[in-house]
Amino acid sequence: MRQLLTAFALLLGFVCGAAPMEDQKTFLSSQVFMAVAAAKQRWKEKTFDAGKFKSGTVQERAAMATNLISSKKLLGKTPEEIRVLLGSFSGFFWSDYIPAYLVEEGWTQKRDTWQLVFLLSDHGLVNDVRIHKNCCVTNYQKGPP
Amino acid sequence: MLGRFLYYPGLTAEERKLINARPQEAFTVFNQKEKAESATVRVFGRDAQNDESDAFRHFVWAGLLAKELGPDLAKQFLDAHEGAGRSNDPNRAMDLANNRAGLLAAEKLRKEGNLTESRLEKEALESIKNRTLVVLEPRGGGNK
């Protein structure tokens, strides 16, 4: 009976022109993130310090990225609290309100650009911190119009 | 379908209201947002804030929205995106100014019969070069 119902639901979806699976992907699932282990290898690991992060260079911020993630110190903060602690957002992730900080400025050497992103819960509080691929070399090489 | 574009925690309260009231147009808005972001990474190799790539993204997005929805509805969506709660924020002032420049450029190009994405991109780059767009933290790029 359950199989019949499933088949009926699939048929109904097809007849009604339901979106194909590709279109049902969420925004987050379509993004590229770097694993913490890979980031440690790439930028090494220094102890996270909010003051040093705020005044630090992109390279200094990159070195603190994995420690910041594993310490979970900033979970539960609002974007505004993140801005006060770490400074103006330098990266961009979906909207101007998601805290994001560049940790590798790839465009200067035609490499990938990476950023630290503070993902938010439905209540607007940080519930995850990840290293996100801001931009890609392959797109950049196409050049301006 | 909108799930491909939407990241709900990143929406302002004003945007959520407008999306609920105008779901069909919201789809167009987020489609154009994706186009503007793709153009930004293609031209600048990054999608950042407060710099030239930010100015470019806002200008092109505003222009594309004016092209697809007309200037009034485009402005409604753009203003909703900037929200009401950051009145003294220089970043918000920068975004609003560059949105306005994009809307005006779209109207100019429409009158000339030349309102295309590629012309909007060229206008944006020209405006950055001429320093008529607001850029708080210049990082360069986009001139290659």
Side-chain angles (χ1 to χ4, degrees):
Chain A
M1 182 63 183
R2 184 176 290 171
Q3 282 172 330
L4 257 178
L5 280 173
T6 308
F8 179 71
L10 281 172
L11 183 67
L12 191 67
F14 180 75
V15 170
C16 297
M21 284 306 284
E22 181 66 18
D23 290 338
Q24 292 175 8
K25 280 201 303 190
T26 64
F27 173 75
L28 276 187
S29 71
S30 67
Q31 300 302 300
V32 176
F33 296 98
M34 188 189 288
V36 171
K40 268 185 195 173
Q41 203 167 21
R42 195 179 185 101
W43 301 309
K44 310 299 175 210
E45 186 176 31
K46 278 190 177 174
T47 306
F48 168 68
D49 177 293
K52 284 181 183 168
F53 188 99
K54 192 172 186 175
S55 62
T57 62
V58 169
Q59 290 78 12
E60 287 163 340
R61 288 178 171 190
M64 284 185 256
T66 56
N67 191 257
L68 185 162
I69 292 171
S70 42
S71 73
K72 301 185 178 181
K73 276 182 185 170
L74 300 181
L75 298 186
K77 304 274 186 203
T78 64
E80 194 46 40
E81 286 171 328
I82 298 291
R83 191 194 297 273
V84 170
L85 277 170
L86 306 183
S88 293
F89 310 154
S90 56
F92 177 83
F93 184 80
W94 203 85
S95 96
D96 309 312
Y97 306 105
I98 309 294
Y101 296 89
L102 296 169
V103 289
E104 186 162 316
E105 295 180 333
W107 70 88
T108 56
Q109 295 146 323
K110 298 207 170 177
R111 284 163 41 186
D112 291 331
T113 294
W114 293 90
Q115 61 186 352
L116 199 57
V117 171
F118 294 75
L119 298 175
L120 306 178
S121 68
D122 289 340
H123 302 292
L125 304 176
V126 174
N127 66 356
D128 197 5
V129 186
R130 294 197 213 172
I131 298 161
H132 172 250
K133 188 171 176 177
N134 174 289
C135 180
C136 34
V137 172
T138 46
N139 279 347
Y140 186 44
Q141 284 172 341
K142 287 179 191 165
Chain B
M1 184 66 175
L2 270 175
R4 218 180 97 206
F5 300 100
L6 287 183
Y7 177 60
Y8 285 92
L11 293 167
T12 65
E14 292 84 353
E15 269 179 312
R16 288 177 197 224
K17 273 186 206 162
L18 203 49
I19 289 167
N20 284 333
R22 292 181 170 272
Q24 201 173 337
E25 288 86 353
F27 178 73
T28 303
V29 169
F30 291 104
N31 217 345
Q32 302 314 309
K33 173 185 182 292
E34 197 165 75
K35 276 190 188 174
E37 289 177 15
S38 296
T40 305
V41 297
R42 171 165 41 78
V43 173
F44 287 90
R46 66 179 184 269
D47 209 357
Q49 290 211 49
N50 301 332
D51 67 354
E52 294 88 346
S53 73
D54 190 358
F56 179 90
R57 183 178 63 246
H58 277 272
F59 183 103
V60 172
W61 188 35
L64 289 172
L65 286 191
K67 176 175 176 280
E68 297 298 325
L69 302 175
D72 295 338
L73 192 51
K75 189 173 182 309
Q76 272 188 55
F77 271 101
L78 291 165
D79 289 349
H81 179 70
E82 294 310 320
R86 300 191 299 151
S87 55
N88 296 323
D89 186 347
N91 306 20
R92 180 175 182 264
M94 172 178 158
D95 295 345
L96 287 170
N98 295 330
N99 285 347
R100 182 169 164 71
L103 290 174
L104 290 173
E107 282 317 289
K108 188 194 87 174
L109 291 172
R110 192 196 301 276
K111 282 177 190 161
E112 294 169 3
N114 216 351
L115 180 49
T116 63
E117 184 179 352
S118 117
R119 279 305 307 263
L120 280 167
E121 289 180 23
K122 280 182 185 162
E123 289 279 333
L125 286 171
E126 200 60 29
S127 303
I128 289 168
K129 198 174 161 190
N130 298 337
R131 300 184 181 204
T132 51
L133 292 191
V134 179
V135 176
L136 295 177
E137 295 167 21
R139 290 193 181 98
N143 299 320
K144 291 185 171 62

